[in-house]
Amino acid sequence: ASGINMRPTEIENLIDNAIKQSPLGYVAGARPTIHLANKWRQMVFRGTLGLNVGSALRNLTQGVNTYAKLGEKHTLIGYAKLAQNTASRNLDELYKYNILDDNIIVDRTFSARKKFIQTTDNVLFSLFDTVEKINRGAAYYGAKSKALSKGLDEVQAIEYAKQIVRDTQFQYSRVDTPVLIQNAIGKTLSQYMTYPIKQTEFLGGMIKNKEWAGMVRFMAAAFVVLGTVGKLFGM
């Protein structure tokens, strides 16, 4: 609860007090640790992911998770439905249910105060955002198709689809972040650790639930990806 409400840890308080009592004073605000840590992570995100085609395309391979859960038919339906709705500019359902929100670059929202920086960020992360929309949109449409094919009604199918998106594409909000890396210092020292943790949870959950068919699909798809396009991106 302390982490979700952004209360400072003891270490953060010590660092905050040391900075405020130094010649710097309140230059970085009343919470200098979190302010400076956010600025650092923003800089790293922009430098490593901004207009980075390789990182964006590597992220596209997260569709393997969708395939592991949904199988061939509904995964293909998901991508086809996304393409169809994108072409007709009919993505209202995805926005209505917040399917496209909550991607890995959560810290960039702190820059929204300045219009120029926000506009720049929109350009820098346009590739990454597009890939995130593909991953999440395809997972949603494919899962909804699978739920409807099982006889679930519209409301139940939507809830199932939202859960599949959360399971396969993950959530990166503060409430979904492990406690040890929720605070400013932990997040900074482990900036790109959330994804591998989430991926490990995903695979561990499939093993725990004995989803052996899904595990076989995952491994087969992973080997194909790593043996083909993955080589181009150094995976």
Side-chain angles (χ1 to χ4, degrees):
S2 293
I4 293 169
N5 287 297
M6 300 182 71
R7 298 187 185 115
T9 63
E10 286 188 34
I11 295 176
E12 286 177 6
N13 275 328
L14 289 172
I15 298 174
D16 283 346
N17 292 333
I19 293 175
K20 287 184 285 190
Q21 291 169 13
S22 73
L24 292 174
Y26 284 77
V27 172
R31 296 279 301 277
T33 303
I34 194 170
H35 175 77
L36 295 173
N38 285 339
K39 291 296 182 185
W40 174 263
R41 290 198 303 276
Q42 288 170 20
M43 181 178 68
V44 173
F45 273 133
R46 290 172 182 134
T48 55
L49 297 182
L51 295 179
N52 188 325
V53 177
S55 290
L57 292 177
R58 277 195 293 273
N59 192 44
L60 192 60
T61 63
Q62 200 170 336
V64 168
N65 289 352
T66 303
Y67 170 62
K69 282 286 188 180
L70 302 182
E72 296 81 3
K73 177 182 176 180
H74 296 289
T75 299
L76 289 174
I77 288 174
Y79 282 103
K81 183 71 172 178
L82 176 64
Q84 178 185 349
N85 287 356
T86 300
S88 61
R89 297 185 179 182
N90 181 25
L91 298 177
D92 294 348
E93 186 174 354
L94 298 182
Y95 289 105
K96 179 180 179 180
Y97 298 113
N98 301 315
I99 302 302
L100 305 180
D101 291 345
D102 199 21
N103 67 37
I104 195 171
I105 317 172
V106 291
D107 286 321
R108 65 188 170 153
T109 55
F110 287 96
S111 69
R113 287 175 251 169
K114 296 183 179 180
K115 186 176 180 180
F116 173 76
I117 295 177
Q118 182 63 24
T119 301
T120 303
D121 278 359
N122 288 340
V123 175
L124 286 176
F125 298 120
S126 58
L127 293 173
F128 210 91
D129 278 349
T130 299
V131 169
E132 283 282 300
K133 289 176 180 178
I134 293 172
N135 286 341
R136 293 176 181 275
Y140 175 82
Y141 287 127
K144 185 178 178 182
S145 168
K146 184 174 182 178
L148 291 173
S149 72
K150 289 184 174 181
L152 275 66
D153 62 32
E154 183 79 7
V155 174
Q156 293 172 322
I158 289 171
E159 288 305 312
Y160 174 79
K162 288 163 66 177
Q163 184 61 52
I164 289 295
V165 174
R166 287 192 289 268
D167 290 345
T168 62
Q169 307 307 315
F170 315 142
Q171 290 183 293
Y172 297 97
S173 64
R174 186 177 296 272
V175 73
D176 293 292
T177 303
V179 174
L180 289 176
I181 58 175
Q182 274 187 4
N183 60 75
I185 297 172
K187 287 174 69 177
T188 302
L189 294 176
S190 59
Q191 183 159 350
Y192 288 110
M193 279 302 296
T194 305
Y195 172 78
I197 290 173
K198 296 286 186 182
Q199 185 65 31
T200 303
E201 288 177 346
F202 171 74
L203 295 175
M206 292 188 73
I207 293 172
K208 179 182 177 182
N209 297 327
K210 299 181 179 180
E211 298 178 45
W212 306 127
M215 285 297 297
V216 170
R217 286 196 295 266
F218 176 85
M219 289 187 290
F223 276 122
V224 170
V225 169
L226 292 175
T228 54
V229 295
K231 290 183 177 180
L232 300 175
F233 312 132
M235 295 180 69

